[in-house]
Amino acid sequence: MHVDDLGTEVAPAGGAPSRIVSLVPNLTETLWWWHLADHVVGRTQWCTAPPGAFPDATVVRGTKNPDVATIVDLAPDLVIANEEENREIDVARLRDAGVAVWVTRVRTLSDATASLERLAAALGVPGAERDTTDALARLQASAPAGPPLRVFVPIWRGLPPVGGRDDETWMAVGSATIAADVLASAGFAVWPDTPGERYPTVGFDDVLAADLDAVLLTDEPYAFGEVDRADLPGFRVRAVDGTGLFWWGPRTPATVADLRRLARHLHRAIRRG
């Protein structure tokens, strides 16, 4: 018996799972890193990394609308879910059908380390996470160069105006997210910094008036591009890998290292004026 991130006791059918359905793209990728790709019998349409890694896995629709009946028919020993990516009602339906479901919950890099350790133990591969967690520990033990850079990291734009405003609303990475902690470990502080808020919304006029060191445009979940860059005149705008920010797991140490290099470049650009 193992306990998932929400404190629920989960007993995978038959001990170490040999038939796994993953409803979380970053954890599907993690299973490949842990040499468990051949155990994956089901995945979502968004579980696409690495490309071609799960040719025999049944696609069970998306993260927000998984085909519960198909998942049950696959007779998995374990379904892997996430409390943000997946809906509580789908987890409940699977459990009501007698399927063991493991739910992850991550807000910080420390959470990610603990979550990966728990998951590896439940999958019967304890220690598989060690390369990742050791690399994260080394990064967390060293300080990024320079003072934190104040950045706006939008994840969506074009939302309807709120509160009687006439400008569009943007949604951003908030401080209570794994993405914000990844950025913090690299030397960035997200704006707006609304304590406890995961994805704050802000009027575009407020963005244009904000005192920012840079704007970081991601390629997911919204694919920001040159049009969006042109709408942000006067800011230092840089493109960053969205999967690196949100797909916590084996790719996270490299993401932190890349972001630290970006922070050093931005500090030099700011000094040059």
Side-chain angles (χ1 to χ4, degrees):
M1 186 76 70
H2 297 273
V3 178
D4 71 10
D5 293 359
L6 300 188
T8 303
E9 290 188 344
V10 181
S18 61
R19 296 180 61 81
I20 304 169
V21 173
S22 177
L23 303 180
V24 195
N26 66 298
L27 295 178
T28 309
E29 180 184 48
T30 297
L31 295 175
W32 178 85
W33 278 91
W34 291 354
H35 306 291
L36 295 174
D38 58 343
H39 292 2
V40 178
V41 298
R43 62 173 178 85
T44 75
Q45 67 193 76
W46 308 114
C47 298
T48 56
F54 310 97
D56 300 323
T58 298
V59 177
V60 296
R61 293 202 302 240
T63 56
K64 306 297 185 188
N65 65 336
D67 188 331
V68 171
T70 295
I71 295 171
V72 173
D73 287 344
L74 288 170
D77 303 319
L78 186 69
V79 172
I80 301 173
N82 175 265
E83 57 93 29
E84 179 177 322
E85 287 288 332
N86 309 116
R87 301 188 307 169
E88 186 176 358
I89 189 171
D90 294 317
V91 172
R93 287 169 176 165
L94 287 166
R95 286 176 172 162
D96 288 346
V99 177
V101 184
W102 185 274
V103 182
T104 57
R105 181 185 190 274
V106 167
R107 295 287 186 273
T108 66
L109 289 174
S110 295
D111 289 345
T113 293
S115 182
L116 292 170
E117 289 173 349
R118 280 190 287 267
L119 180 60
L123 294 175
V125 287
E129 80 290 347
R130 197 159 297 139
D131 286 348
T132 300
T133 57
D134 286 352
L136 286 175
R138 289 192 296 271
L139 285 165
Q140 289 176 288
S142 60
L149 295 161
R150 195 169 191 235
V151 292
F152 177 59
V153 189
I155 61 168
W156 207 265
R157 68 170 298 184
L159 299 174
V162 295
R165 302 175 66 116
D166 57 10
D167 57 334
E168 68 171 312
T169 297
W170 290 43
M171 183 179 290
V173 168
S175 58
T177 59
I178 179 66
D181 204 41
V182 169
L183 287 160
S185 71
F188 297 94
V190 295
W191 175 91
D193 181 10
T194 309
E197 193 164 355
R198 295 180 53 67
Y199 300 106
T201 54
V202 59
F204 186 52
D205 288 345
D206 290 336
V207 174
L208 295 178
D211 180 16
L212 302 171
D213 292 309
V215 175
L216 306 183
L217 296 181
T218 69
D219 54 3
E220 79 152 39
Y222 185 103
F224 289 95
E226 290 304 315
V227 170
D228 308 289
R229 182 187 291 264
D231 286 339
L232 294 160
F235 289 111
R236 300 177 186 87
V237 181
R238 302 292 186 272
V240 295
D241 176 15
T243 58
L245 289 179
F246 302 110
W247 287 34
W248 53 270
R251 66 172 64 199
T252 304
T255 296
V256 174
D258 289 343
L259 287 170
R260 285 191 176 184
R261 283 191 287 272
L262 174 59
R264 289 194 293 271
H265 287 310
L266 284 169
H267 276 297
R268 285 196 291 270
I270 290 168
R271 286 196 296 270
R272 289 196 300 267

